Amino acid sequence: AETVGPFWPPQRRHTETGYRALAFPFPERRFPSIAMQQSWTLEELGAYLRTWSSVVRFVTAWGFDPVVPLLEDVSRIWGPAQRRRKVEWPLAGRLGWLPATQEAGPPKPRES
């Protein structure tokens, strides 16, 4: 995060704050605590990290892949590179609902 953090686009903050700063015109329900899970090799983890826009921007600006030294550090505790490990990260979102008195879609014109 310290290396590529400054390369995230400004709107990334919405992900980090669970979209709380965005206007949300619906009564809200609690978003469940859920996480994505994958079983990855070290190479697959690296491939995922390289999809991050901040990593792409870092490479463009500095001309080298910051994932390489990270994977070297992680490999010390990972074990064999082909070993699969569970990788998990939380999902954020907002969950709203339309009260029963409202119909979905735009209001219908009234007849005179």
Side-chain angles (χ1 to χ4, degrees):
E2 293 173 14
T3 302
V4 299
F7 291 89
W8 284 113
Q11 59 271 29
R12 166 72 180 174
R13 74 182 183 284
H14 294 305
T15 302
E16 294 169 357
T17 62
Y19 308 98
R20 293 281 165 227
L22 296 174
F24 196 73
F26 305 103
E28 225 168 321
R29 303 265 186 190
R30 187 181 76 72
F31 192 81
S33 293
I34 56 176
M36 289 185 61
Q37 294 181 359
Q38 292 291 328
S39 176
W40 280 338
T41 64
L42 194 57
E43 182 181 334
E44 290 168 335
L45 173 64
Y48 166 70
L49 296 175
R50 288 181 181 101
T51 69
W52 290 2
S53 63
S54 61
V55 171
V56 172
R57 289 174 177 203
F58 180 96
V59 170
T60 300
W62 291 100
F64 72 92
D65 182 357
V67 175
V68 171
L70 174 67
L71 294 181
E72 287 172 2
D73 287 346
V74 171
S75 71
R76 294 184 197 128
I77 58 172
W78 191 275
Q82 292 308 309
R83 179 179 182 182
R84 293 200 167 271
R85 288 198 174 258
K86 181 172 87 170
V87 179
E88 181 177 301
W89 60 100
L91 291 180
R94 296 180 78 181
L95 185 60
W97 58 283
L98 288 173
T101 59
Q102 286 185 323
E103 293 182 35
K108 294 183 175 129
R110 293 183 179 225
E111 292 183 26
S112 307

